[in-house]
Amino acid sequence: MTLLFWSALLSSLVSSLCHSANKHKPWIETEYQGIVMENDNTVLLNPPLFALDKDAPLHYAGEICGFRVHNGPSGSGSVQFEAVVLDRSTGEGLVRSKEPLDCESQREHSFTIQAYDCGEGPDGVNSKKSHKATVHVRVNDVNEFSPVFVERRYEASVPEGRLFDRIVRVEALDADCSPQYSQICFYDIITPNVPFAIDNDGNIKNTEPLDSKRQRVHTFWVTAFDCGKNRAQADAQVVVTVKPSCKPGWIGWTKRVEYTPGSGSIPLFPSLHLETCEETVWNIQATVELQTGHIGKGCDRDSYSDRSVRRLCGAVRGEVDLLPPPSPAANWTATLPTLPSSDSSLVFSFNGSNHVAVVPDSVVSTLSGDHFTLQLWMRRGGSSIQPATTQTRGNRKEEETIVCSTVKNDDTFSHYSLSVHGCRLSLFYWPDVSAARPVKFLWKLEQVCDSEWHHLSLSVQFPSVTLYVDGVTFDPALIHDNGAIPNPAPRQRMFIGACWEPEEKQKEILNNTIPEGKDSGDLLYVGGYHGLLSGVTVRPGSVEPHSVVECLYACREGLDFGDLETLGSGMKVHVNPSQSVLVLEGDDIESFNRAVQQVTYRNSLRFATPGVRPLKLTTSLRCFNEESCLSLKQLEGYLVVLQPDAPQISLSGVGPHLARPAPEFEGPRGVPLFPELRIVCSLSHAVNTAAQGMEALMSDAVAHTLDGCEVQPLGEELNSEREELLVDMDVVRERGLEIINTTAYIAITGAESISVYEDVLRSVRYRLAKGSARFERRFRLSCSEMNGRYTSNELTLEVNFLHSLDSLYHPSHLLASQQQFLHPSHHAGELSGHTLPNPHRNSVVPGAATIIIMVCVGFLVVMVILGVFRIRSIHRRGEGARGGAKEGSSQWDDSALTIIVNPMETYESRMGITADTEGEGEEDEEVAESPDDASDDQRIIIKKEGRDGNARRY
């Protein structure tokens, strides 16, 4: 009984102990990293898979019976992997894949795992499980794939003679998933002896310059290797074509282009095209520049002056020239320095300091009103202008005044000033200096500060102001100036090139100059202009029409484009106002080449100015690859305008001699010098004659415009007290011409037709004062066109004065004439109406001729005196001698004695005309020659008319 009791008791105790032994859960790591090869299914974990249980070493409770795999984040890990227990007592486990893994399809796998103990007995009752641990498995790649080229054939073309860093690039790919086996480690050219090399990136270059003549096409094979040293399954073929050498740039450029006047418009680049050598460009810009250096300012100024252009453009008359050529009537520009100009207008230089023109009050008084048009040519700065003599601190920041004016309008005064400041042009206008508020109109213009000639036309019709710069309209920005304003005094005055100081600082004006060595605060003028001015005019009244302003600057010579309608899409063309710069822009090579070939040179002048015009072509390219974009150098050439057929201006219809009785010249209107003048303008050109196979010159009369004619007395100038030239001023004013009438010449200027000049010149008359008769006068007439570029023939007219005895009735008159002839050294200017030879004209009277003339004059005087005494003796005899006279020729009868001066006798004798046909063989002639400035014989004939009807000449 006792033994059974103790056995039952022990068994009950062991059972009780076993039931209470499985107290703890198994423990595993929280995260595992695993690697598995594509050709294996065992996963190598880090750390190794071990499950621990604190119930060990108890049987069952301390043992690990299994691992369970759960889905990972992707939900598919448990399907592909499983975990098994290798040792229950140690808890060692193993993770393996259920099927082979493919790295290329999925390289990374994730799942969770749990460990379970064996519980309290063999049946696994009351088993416990561990927490879930995450397992990351990476499938290691196996180099199972070989490289494959993207293309089986690669082609490229290159120009010959150059080394290239890259001609073509080949590319191969590997399907392996790992960088080790999927990357291409190197390429290789397997064709031997080819002048090419390949780098590890597949770039192929040439190792030597290629020659298209030696080998036009190069063909070779290349292969690729991955980093596992697997070679490409199939090699790639490379074909390189060698092109003949290509030089990027303009092809077909002609350096010299000739232009024949009268050809209209001609293309400058008829065969020009751009070669980019297959470089892809997305923007092309070409600038064509024609340098018309022969033109001083603006266009066509080598053909017509500013005033002539105004007339040809139909401008309204009445403008006042503020910078006229210096003359006795316009002396306020005499102290201003001038520069040479290609036209007839003067260019005045202003140095910003002491060059100022003060317009007289008599001129300013004609410019009243708030409607006027101010026009001028301006060029700021320039290398030909000397810097200002007085430079003070901050002078460069001051405004430079071009025109400053205060004029009277009825009972008020208005003030305005035109100034430049930097690249800004401003008009300060004060409609009423005593009441209204001033207004400043401001323009920001590049033309103001580019040191080039520009034409400015300012039309003021207050409160409206319009500015034209080179014929283009610019809108102003209005500014109400409320700052410090110098208060102009209510008096008329106008300055050109500066403005006056305020009234309290005014000083006396001396010779239109500023005293040197003074500070700017003490100077008489402020805001001096630094630059060139020309053609400064003001026309009061209505403003100038827009069409006239455009015509004043319109160019008849310059660049143009053939047909704008033929421009391709994306093409743009721009021409500046002076037509000296043309810009083309586009994005297509073919369209751009067609556009360049339509750039033309146009010259509509009838008589184009011959000479050379430099020509430039500048090209700018933009490419997708800016680093390798082409850069083209500037092309330079020149346009040659050939000599046009010169016009011949012929003056005719006036004989070389004009003989009239002296009293006619002393009339109130004088004698017309050129009553039958004819002016003809013709063109001579060569014509091929088929008969002789030679060239002949033919002349065609053309309608043309003259711009000036001049009548000049030859020898000494006119004596203003005794003689003058008269012109019908009504005709001159009606035609809008200008006239300068001095004792040295009379000049008529202005662009007008030939018929107008004929009418004006036919009205030119020569008049003498009473008792101032001469023996002869010589005049010269000439005309010109295009600023004197073409001149006419010089028409010389000799005026002879026919005298009767009444003008020489007293012996003292003859004695006076004798003294004049006998003492030429004391009367070198005028001898009883004779003009002595002028030493400046290289006319010399020989010594022998002088002696003969003096002897003849003396003999003539003696004969006259004897004749007078003889007449007196006859009258004293009275009627005793009335009945009968002695026969013979020793006695004189009481017939009238007539003395006739015939200055035309020598001229008629030269023409083969008999001087006297009466009483041939019965007259004794005594001739006394007198000197004159034309070497023509002047004869005094004493005629005795007797009872027999015959006349005797002495």
Side-chain angles (χ1 to χ4, degrees):
M1 285 291 292
T2 301
L3 182 60
L4 293 173
F5 173 79
W6 284 108
S7 298
L9 181 60
L10 180 62
S11 176
S12 175
L13 181 63
V14 170
S15 176
S16 176
L17 290 174
C18 291
H19 179 74
S20 61
N22 193 12
K23 299 180 180 181
H24 301 91
K25 297 178 181 180
W27 178 89
I28 59 177
E29 298 287 344
T30 59
E31 185 176 20
Y32 295 91
Q33 301 291 335
I35 297 175
V36 61
M37 301 298 294
E38 279 186 319
N39 56 359
D40 195 2
N41 63 347
T42 302
V43 179
L44 300 178
L45 294 180
N46 182 24
L49 180 60
F50 283 92
L52 302 178
D53 197 318
K54 291 183 179 181
D55 292 327
L58 296 178
H59 192 53
Y60 296 110
E63 295 176 353
I64 303 301
C65 284
F67 294 94
R68 292 182 182 177
V69 177
H70 301 279
N71 293 336
S74 61
S76 60
S78 62
V79 178
Q80 295 176 297
F81 293 91
E82 63 179 357
V84 296
V85 178
L86 298 180
D87 188 347
R88 297 176 61 179
S89 60
T90 60
E92 181 180 4
L94 175 68
V95 176
R96 61 190 178 189
S97 61
K98 298 179 181 179
E99 56 186 19
L101 301 178
D102 187 5
C103 175
E104 287 72 30
S105 60
Q106 185 174 353
R107 190 178 180 185
E108 301 284 344
H109 298 270
S110 297
F111 54 89
T112 59
I113 189 173
Q114 276 184 314
Y116 292 84
D117 60 13
C118 295
E120 297 179 352
D123 54 358
V125 178
N126 296 326
S127 64
K128 296 183 180 294
K129 58 183 178 181
S130 68
H131 61 274
K132 292 182 180 180
T134 302
V135 180
H136 300 283
V137 178
R138 184 180 74 239
V139 181
N140 276 359
D141 187 25
V142 176
N143 194 10
E144 56 184 330
F145 295 102
S146 298
V148 177
F149 282 98
V150 176
E151 298 181 14
R152 296 295 305 273
R153 179 184 175 93
Y154 293 88
E155 296 183 359
S157 58
V158 292
E160 63 180 353
R162 293 173 54 188
L163 290 175
F164 297 90
D165 294 334
R166 185 180 72 177
I167 296 177
V168 66
R169 181 178 182 271
V170 298
E171 183 180 11
L173 301 177
D174 196 302
D176 288 313
C177 66
S178 64
Q180 178 182 4
Y181 301 124
S182 64
Q183 291 184 355
I184 307 300
C185 278
F186 62 94
Y187 295 87
D188 189 21
I189 298 177
I190 60 178
T191 303
N193 301 325
V194 292
F196 299 95
I198 189 170
D199 60 15
N200 293 338
D201 295 328
N203 297 314
I204 298 177
K205 64 179 181 179
N206 57 325
T207 57
E208 62 183 43
L210 304 178
D211 188 356
S212 62
K213 297 180 181 178
R214 184 173 59 185
Q215 186 173 351
R216 181 67 182 274
V217 179
H218 295 266
T219 303
F220 52 93
W221 296 85
V222 296
T223 190
F225 293 88
D226 60 18
C227 294
K229 296 185 179 180
N230 276 359
R231 181 177 171 174
Q233 295 179 353
D235 300 327
Q237 185 183 40
V238 180
V239 179
V240 178
T241 303
V242 183
K243 299 186 302 182
S245 59
C246 174
K247 295 181 180 180
W250 291 102
I251 299 177
W253 171 262
T254 302
K255 188 174 183 180
R256 175 188 173 97
V257 180
E258 290 188 354
Y259 178 80
T260 302
S263 302
S265 298
I266 63 168
L268 291 175
F269 321 111
S271 59
L272 188 66
H273 65 278
L274 181 62
E275 175 59 59
T276 60
C277 296
E278 298 186 359
E279 178 71 28
T280 304
V281 297
W282 63 273
N283 182 267
I284 315 169
Q285 181 173 306
T287 302
V288 184
E289 182 179 359
L290 180 69
Q291 299 179 0
T292 53
H294 68 288
I295 299 177
K297 50 184 174 59
C299 307
D300 310 333
R301 294 302 183 261
D302 57 335
S303 301
Y304 296 103
S305 64
D306 288 335
R307 290 187 176 275
S308 297
V309 172
R310 288 183 59 81
R311 284 192 52 77
L312 295 175
C313 289
V316 180
R317 302 171 187 171
E319 71 275 3
V320 178
D321 195 349
L322 301 182
L323 289 180
S327 65
N331 59 355
W332 66 89
T333 60
T335 59
L336 295 178
T338 59
L339 298 179
S341 176
S342 60
D343 56 22
S344 61
S345 58
L346 287 180
V347 174
F348 294 91
S349 173
F350 295 82
N351 63 357
S353 175
N354 60 342
H355 294 164
V356 181
V358 181
V359 183
D361 293 342
S362 59
V363 177
V364 181
S365 61
T366 63
L367 303 177
S368 62
D370 57 357
H371 291 185
F372 61 89
T373 299
L374 174 65
Q375 300 195 57
L376 56 96
W377 284 95
M378 179 187 70
R379 178 185 173 189
R380 290 280 302 282
S383 59
S384 60
I385 305 173
Q386 298 297 327
T389 57
T390 303
Q391 291 289 344
T392 59
R393 186 175 181 181
N395 268 358
R396 293 186 178 180
K397 297 182 180 179
E398 295 181 356
E399 287 189 348
E400 302 177 16
T401 304
I402 300 174
V403 179
C404 188
S405 174
T406 300
V407 296
K408 184 176 182 181
N409 301 322
D410 297 331
D411 297 332
T412 63
F413 288 87
S414 64
H415 174 81
Y416 72 88
S417 62
L418 183 67
S419 307
V420 289
H421 184 197
C423 292
R424 290 176 172 85
L425 179 75
S426 64
L427 174 68
F428 179 81
Y429 190 79
W430 204 336
D432 187 351
V433 297
S434 61
R437 185 171 64 174
V439 179
K440 178 178 284 187
F441 300 87
L442 187 66
W443 296 267
K444 186 175 182 181
L445 304 168
E446 295 180 358
Q447 294 88 337
V448 176
C449 55
D450 61 359
S451 297
E452 298 291 338
W453 277 108
H454 295 285
H455 180 259
L456 273 64
S457 178
L458 196 67
S459 296
V460 178
Q461 195 169 7
F462 192 76
S464 175
V465 175
T466 305
L467 173 67
Y468 301 93
V469 180
D470 298 337
V472 180
T473 309
F474 290 88
D475 296 328
L478 272 67
I479 299 177
H480 293 275
D481 199 330
N482 296 321
I485 302 171
N487 186 16
R491 53 169 292 193
Q492 293 185 150
R493 53 185 166 183
M494 176 179 285
F495 289 1
I496 308 297
C499 198
W500 54 86
E501 286 274 13
E503 189 67 21
E504 62 271 11
K505 297 183 180 180
Q506 285 296 311
K507 294 184 178 181
E508 185 180 358
I509 301 174
L510 296 175
N511 298 326
N512 293 342
T513 60
I514 302 173
E516 297 182 359
K518 301 289 184 179
D519 293 335
S520 61
D522 297 329
L523 292 180
L524 191 64
Y525 310 124
V526 293
Y529 172 72
H530 186 266
L532 302 178
L533 292 177
S534 179
V536 183
T537 62
V538 172
R539 187 175 62 81
S542 59
V543 298
E544 201 78 85
H546 187 194
S547 59
V548 173
V549 177
E550 289 181 338
C551 176
L552 290 175
Y553 192 77
C555 300
R556 300 176 64 186
E557 173 186 11
L559 299 173
D560 203 353
F561 193 81
D563 188 3
L564 294 175
E565 296 182 356
T566 60
L567 276 176
S569 59
M571 289 296 304
K572 299 178 182 178
V573 59
H574 172 74
V575 184
N576 67 337
S578 62
Q579 295 184 305
S580 60
V581 178
L582 185 145
V583 180
L584 281 174
E585 185 176 359
D587 53 9
D588 180 68
I589 294 292
E590 297 299 327
S591 300
F592 196 86
N593 287 335
R594 289 194 298 268
V596 168
Q597 295 172 6
Q598 293 193 54
V599 177
T600 62
Y601 169 75
R602 177 185 56 83
N603 195 325
S604 59
L605 292 171
R606 174 179 289 182
F607 305 107
T609 304
V612 176
R613 280 77 160 158
L615 193 63
K616 294 182 180 180
L617 175 61
T618 306
T619 310
S620 174
L621 300 177
R622 301 186 67 180
C623 308
F624 291 101
N625 185 4
E626 294 292 342
E627 296 180 357
S628 62
C629 195
L630 302 176
S631 177
L632 304 181
K633 67 178 183 179
Q634 185 183 69
L635 298 180
E636 296 184 358
Y638 54 92
L639 172 74
V640 180
V641 178
L642 303 179
Q643 183 73 36
D645 295 330
Q648 287 82 39
I649 307 172
S650 176
L651 307 180
S652 61
V654 178
H657 293 270
L658 175 64
R660 293 288 187 276
E664 293 187 17
F665 292 92
E666 298 174 355
R669 293 184 55 83
V671 175
L673 296 180
F674 316 106
E676 299 179 356
L677 175 67
R678 291 186 67 245
I679 305 177
V680 177
C681 182
S682 60
L683 286 176
S684 297
H685 52 90
V687 177
N688 293 324
T689 56
Q692 294 86 5
M694 300 174 60
E695 287 189 352
L697 290 178
M698 294 187 63
S699 296
D700 299 329
V702 294
H704 205 54
T705 301
L706 300 180
D707 58 12
C709 288
E710 182 177 280
V711 180
Q712 179 184 9
L714 298 179
E716 62 183 6
E717 294 184 4
L718 297 178
N719 189 331
S720 59
E721 297 180 357
R722 297 188 300 171
E723 53 185 341
E724 63 179 340
L725 287 174
L726 304 176
V727 182
D728 191 344
M729 296 304 298
D730 294 336
V731 177
V732 175
R733 294 191 188 97
E734 181 183 355
R735 300 299 186 176
L737 300 176
E738 297 181 0
I739 184 169
I740 300 176
N741 195 348
T742 66
T743 58
Y745 64 91
I746 178 171
I748 305 168
T749 58
E752 260 301 347
S753 63
I754 289 178
S755 60
V756 171
Y757 270 93
E758 285 180 341
D759 293 341
V760 174
L761 291 175
R762 288 169 184 171
S763 69
V764 176
R765 295 171 174 267
Y766 178 61
R767 189 177 71 85
L768 291 173
K770 293 291 184 180
S772 302
R774 306 168 56 92
F775 283 103
E776 79 164 13
R777 252 296 186 187
R778 298 178 67 204
F779 295 94
R780 180 173 58 198
L781 171 63
S782 62
C783 295
S784 65
E785 61 178 335
M786 292 190 175
N787 289 331
R789 179 174 159 195
Y790 299 110
T791 57
S792 68
N793 60 309
E794 293 184 353
L795 188 62
T796 302
L797 176 66
E798 181 179 303
V799 179
N800 299 111
F801 308 91
L802 301 182
H803 297 272
S804 65
L805 182 61
D806 296 335
S807 62
L808 302 173
Y809 67 93
H810 200 277
S812 61
H813 179 82
L814 298 177
L815 292 176
S817 299
Q818 180 183 7
Q819 291 176 359
Q820 290 177 344
F821 285 118
L822 294 178
H823 303 281
S825 61
H826 299 289
H827 303 276
E830 183 178 333
L831 296 176
S832 185
H834 284 67
T835 302
L836 288 180
N838 191 338
H840 298 286
R841 299 179 60 206
N842 300 325
S843 299
V844 180
V845 178
T850 303
I851 296 174
I852 294 174
I853 291 172
M854 293 174 63
V855 172
C856 293
V857 171
F859 180 75
L860 173 63
V861 173
V862 172
M863 293 300 296
V864 171
I865 294 174
L866 290 177
V868 172
F869 281 116
R870 186 65 175 173
I871 294 172
R872 290 182 177 180
S873 64
I874 293 174
H875 283 285
R876 284 197 298 267
R877 292 178 184 179
E879 297 179 355
R882 186 183 304 172
K886 295 182 181 180
E887 295 180 4
S889 60
S890 62
Q891 278 190 330
W892 296 68
D893 60 6
D894 57 354
S895 300
L897 176 64
T898 304
I899 300 177
I900 300 176
V901 179
N902 186 5
M904 293 296 295
E905 183 177 358
T906 304
Y907 166 68
E908 292 174 352
S909 63
R910 288 199 300 266
M911 300 301 294
I913 302 175
T914 304
D916 192 354
T917 58
E918 292 185 1
E920 293 184 3
E922 298 180 5
E923 297 178 355
D924 296 325
E925 295 183 4
E926 295 294 336
V927 179
E929 295 185 356
S930 61
D932 63 342
D933 59 344
S935 301
D936 291 337
D937 296 335
Q938 304 291 341
R939 302 175 186 270
I940 299 178
I941 303 127
I942 303 174
K943 304 182 85 174
K944 172 68 172 65
E945 186 173 344
R947 293 179 178 178
D948 55 358
N950 295 329
R952 294 180 180 272
R953 298 197 300 176
Y954 296 88

